Every structure is written in C-alpha cells, then in structure tokens.
Amino acid sequence: MAELRLEHIYKIYDKNVQAVTDFNLHIHDKEFIVFVGPSGCGKTTTLRMIAGLEDISKGELFIDDVLMNDVESKDRSIAMVFQSYALYPHMTVYDNMAFSLKLRKVDKKEIDRRVKEAAKILGLEDYLKRKPKALSGGQRQRVALGRAIVREAKVFLMDEPLSNLDAKLRVQMRAEIQKLHQRIQTTTIYVTHDQTEAMTMATRLVVMKDGLIQQIGTPKEVYNTPHNMFVAGFIGSPSMNLFHCRLTETEILLDGQSFPIPPKYLPLLQRKNYLGKEIVMGIRPEDLQITDIISPYAFKATVDVAELLGAETFLYSSLVTQPFIARVQADSNFQPTEVVTLVMKEEKIHFFDPETEERI
Ligand code: ATP
C-alpha cells in the first residue's frame, strides 16, 4: 500500500529559478502516474523531490500519511529507474540486482530469493551470470527494472527509462513495464516528454508546463477535454488544429467561411458571453473527414502535402489562410493541389478563449 500526497510543493533553485510552482497531487495506491511535458517544465525536479534527492523548497510531501520532507532518500521506501541504466559494469546481472540489498545487509537467502524472482518476472533467468556489456539495451533496462523490483519498495520512480532505446524496443519495453505494473501493482510515477508513452501507460497523466500543472486526468479525459490550448496542442499527434475565428449570434466565422455554432455549445457560449467575440476553435485531425455529403460543417480545401502512413493519410492543407492537418483513411491517392471536401465532426469541436487560452 502506498499513497502519496504532494501539497503546495515548490522548488526554487538558487538565483530564483522557480522550477516547480504550487504542485498539488494525490496519488492513490497502485496508480501509474505519468508526469509529461516539454523539456524544462519541472518533471524531473518534482520526481527528485519525491525521491529525496532534491530538497523541497516549500510545501509538504506525504507517503502513506507520513511527512517525508526531512526523511532521507534511503528511508523513503522508493526505488528509482533512470534513463542511463546506471548498472555497475564490472558486476554480473545477479550482483547488480543484489547490490542494494547487500548494502542493506539483507540476509543472503532472502537476496537470492528476491533476485531470482525478479529475474523470472523479467525473463532474465538465463542472463544472471553475464556482465552488462554482454546485454542488449532492452536487457540492460530490464536489469535496471530488476534492481527496483528486488527492493520491494512502496513506490517506483522512473525518469525517462526508455529514452536510450530505439523506437521498436521502446514500444516493446513500454508494454513490458505495463505488464510488470499489472503484475506487481506498485505505485509508480513515470516521467517522460513523450506524449505517446504518457497516453499508453498512465492511469492518470499530469501535464506540466513551466513548473505548473496544466491538467491532471486519465489519458481519455485529457485527450477529449483538454483544459487549455497548451494541453490541446501537446497531447495528440498530429496536434489538435486551432483556428482563430469570430462568433456571431449563430455562426462561427473563419476568414470568410461560416459554420453554424453546434447547438450543444450555443447555451454555454451565450452564458459565458462569447457571442460576437473572437474565439479559438479546435478540431483534432481525425475529426476532419473526407465527405461527399452536403453538410453545414463541410468545406473545400486544397491539398498541400499528402503523407501516406499505411492505414491512414495525413493531409496538410489550409482553411482559407489557416493551416491544418486532417487524418483520413488511406483509401484514395491524394495529390498535391487536389481540391477535397472535408467535414468537421460538430460534436468534436473545442472552443478556447484566445486571451487566457483556457477551454470554454
Ligand atoms: P527534461 O525533460 O529536459 O529533463 P524537466 O521537465 O525534467 O526537463 P527539470 O529538469 O525538472 O525539467 O528542470 C526544470 C527547470 O529547473 C529548468 O528550467 C531547469 O533549467 C531548472 N533546473 C534544474 N536543475 C537545476 C539546478 N540544479 N539548478 C538550477 N536550475 C535547475
């Protein structure tokens, strides 16, 4: 059982670099939480504060209701997995996994039991006598995970553990880490700047920017209802299309084109006083589809570039002057300069305030 509470946590480095601002999060037992955001947004700093490798400037960290701020890293019952596997090159796989337990003076038999069990979970049984240099990248990363498992810690902290692996291996290890979590269910906090990793692994995501939490939610919640334009742009690939528009009482005007305001949004936009104002309309690439049906949400566009990706095609085009990407089925061969008719899924339109960039 491991529950974490981060309450009003700040990290202020010397010279007034504020890396993390008012971070609040309650992590439940067995959760797989992913901190995601662009480089420099404070993910690693937050993880290191949880690990006790970095002081907390302000705020409180609890693990299972015990205040951890002044507890030494080694006494926090956490195990870390880093991007650089940090294996000892002169030790065998067995000794790499056993090392931290030996330091803690765990009984030899118990060490053997734990190492063998971890090796079994990770499929490393045949490699226990090898040295790290005789292992592949994926196997090395598995040893690094094994070192965390043998600790039987309450919390796993993982900092970009897959970023040294090639694309194919990353996908494979992603699945292995998920399987591992399903099996041993240790509360895990995982840091990445890769939104695909975040979306596929997390029970809940914490999206960060400039040291501030932008949104906390399940991958589905964050994808379907991004709280602001940053989250809308960061989660999802290709990014959500954002169009600068103006609303009338009934229509969305976009550079001379007009679309009816979808009835489901009209009361909200009216209540929040957006009619007659500038607005940002968001639509995900997959919510723009080729059509031959007449619809008030259809428009014509000229293909600039068509990227065929097997099952689907990314069409790069513009709605009058504003560029967008549509993700359509790859069943026809689109050519540059070809004029296509696309339709927006009206129930999938998002609206944002152009000034605050917040979701309306
Ligand atoms: P990345 O994905 O590149 O690792 P990150 O989101 O993990 O980025 P952090 O490493 O937590 O970001 O850094 C957050 C901010 O704090 C950055 O502006 C960084 O320059 C700054 N920072 C990190 N460590 C220190 C330090 N020891 N002293 C001063 N500033 C630091």
Side-chain angles (χ1 to χ4, degrees):
M1 151 99 189
E3 228 183 49
L4 287 88
R5 275 186 293 126
L6 290 91
E7 296 186 351
H8 304 292
I9 300 259
Y10 287 73
K11 179 67 193 182
I12 302 152
Y13 284 113
D14 303 339
K15 299 187 203 114
N16 289 331
V17 180
Q18 188 154 316
V20 177
T21 305
D22 200 17
F23 192 103
N24 288 288
L25 179 66
H26 185 172
I27 301 173
H28 308 287
D29 187 32
K30 304 189 176 71
E31 272 203 289
F32 195 109
I33 290 280
V34 177
F35 294 169
V36 63
S39 184
C41 71
K43 311 177 290 286
T44 297
T45 299
T46 309
L47 198 76
R48 289 174 59 83
M49 285 193 282
I50 297 170
L53 300 172
E54 204 68 73
D55 286 337
I56 296 172
S57 308
K58 212 160 89 178
E60 293 178 322
L61 165 72
F62 297 91
I63 299 181
D64 286 343
D65 289 328
V66 180
L67 184 64
M68 286 288 141
N69 290 46
D70 297 323
V71 175
E72 272 194 63
S73 180
K74 67 176 177 43
D75 300 323
R76 290 191 186 192
S77 191
I78 48 133
M80 278 196 87
V81 182
F82 298 97
Q83 164 181 350
S84 62
Y85 326 110
L87 302 180
Y88 301 109
H90 58 286
M91 288 186 197
T92 61
V93 168
Y94 186 101
D95 288 336
N96 261 287
M97 289 208 263
F99 187 68
S100 71
L101 301 180
K102 280 186 189 156
L103 280 187
R104 285 177 165 75
K105 310 231 178 323
V106 176
D107 175 71
K108 241 182 160 177
K109 265 197 189 142
E110 175 64 10
I111 294 179
D112 194 59
R113 182 191 70 77
R114 291 198 205 174
V115 170
K116 287 193 174 141
E117 190 178 315
K120 195 169 158 204
I121 291 173
L122 294 163
L124 286 171
E125 288 153 301
D126 295 339
Y127 302 93
L128 288 171
K129 291 199 180 114
R130 287 204 197 170
K131 300 249 173 85
K133 69 172 185 304
L135 298 175
S136 71
Q139 288 162 345
R140 281 179 212 170
Q141 193 50 278
R142 253 178 256 154
V143 178
L145 288 170
R147 272 198 320 204
I149 295 173
V150 297
R151 299 269 311 276
E152 297 186 347
K154 282 185 175 180
V155 186
F156 285 168
L157 304 178
M158 304 193 186
D159 192 357
E160 308 241 10
L162 307 184
S163 49
N164 280 348
L165 305 177
D166 67 41
K168 204 170 156 195
L169 204 52
R170 281 177 83 127
V171 176
Q172 210 178 319
M173 284 302 292
R174 208 159 76 195
E176 286 197 22
I177 292 179
Q178 281 171 280
K179 266 197 273 173
L180 177 68
H181 182 253
Q182 278 159 17
R183 179 159 176 183
I184 60 179
Q185 305 225 315
T186 305
T187 308
T188 302
I189 308 172
Y190 185 104
V191 162
T192 181
H193 61 266
D194 180 325
Q195 59 95 21
T196 313
E197 237 167 76
M199 288 293 286
T200 51
M201 299 177 91
T203 50
R204 279 193 305 155
L205 298 175
V206 178
V207 187
M208 297 178 70
K209 181 193 166 210
D210 299 336
L212 284 165
I213 294 181
Q214 304 292 307
Q215 186 163 358
I216 301 171
T218 64
K220 213 168 163 181
E221 280 164 0
V222 173
Y223 191 78
N224 291 334
T225 7
H227 283 180
N228 58 38
M229 283 162 59
F230 170 77
V231 177
F234 192 77
I235 299 291
S237 177
S239 295
M240 183 186 285
N241 299 297
L242 298 171
F243 298 104
H244 288 267
C245 310
R246 198 166 64 75
L247 296 181
T248 68
E249 293 293 313
T250 54
E251 291 183 313
I252 305 162
L253 302 181
L254 197 162
D255 295 344
Q257 290 256 1
S258 71
F259 306 97
I261 297 176
K264 90 168 195 195
Y265 295 110
L266 197 54
L268 177 75
L269 294 166
Q270 205 162 25
R271 196 171 69 242
K272 293 198 164 178
N273 258 333
Y274 279 99
L275 300 185
K277 300 218 174 115
E278 304 290 319
I279 204 158
V280 173
M281 175 175 77
I283 185 109
R284 293 222 176 260
E286 65 272 27
D287 297 326
L288 288 171
Q289 288 301 318
I290 300 284
T291 189
D292 48 16
I293 296 166
I294 294 168
S295 156
Y297 294 97
F299 61 93
K300 285 193 189 309
T302 306
V303 175
D304 293 329
V305 175
E307 264 179 10
L308 176 68
L309 285 114
E312 54 192 12
T313 297
F314 294 165
L315 294 181
Y316 292 74
S317 179
S318 295
L319 213 174
V320 193
T321 60
Q322 303 192 38
F324 70 85
I325 303 176
R327 183 179 194 156
V328 302
Q329 290 200 331
D331 42 15
S332 44
N333 265 333
F334 299 100
Q335 301 299 328
T337 73
E338 183 180 341
V339 176
V340 291
T341 305
L342 291 154
V343 65
M344 294 184 245
K345 289 190 191 158
E346 61 168 286
E347 72 282 9
K348 294 289 179 80
I349 292 175
H350 307 253
F351 290 110
F352 301 95
D353 183 302
E355 269 171 32
T356 63
E357 304 197 347
E358 297 289 317
R359 180 183 193 83
I360 295 169

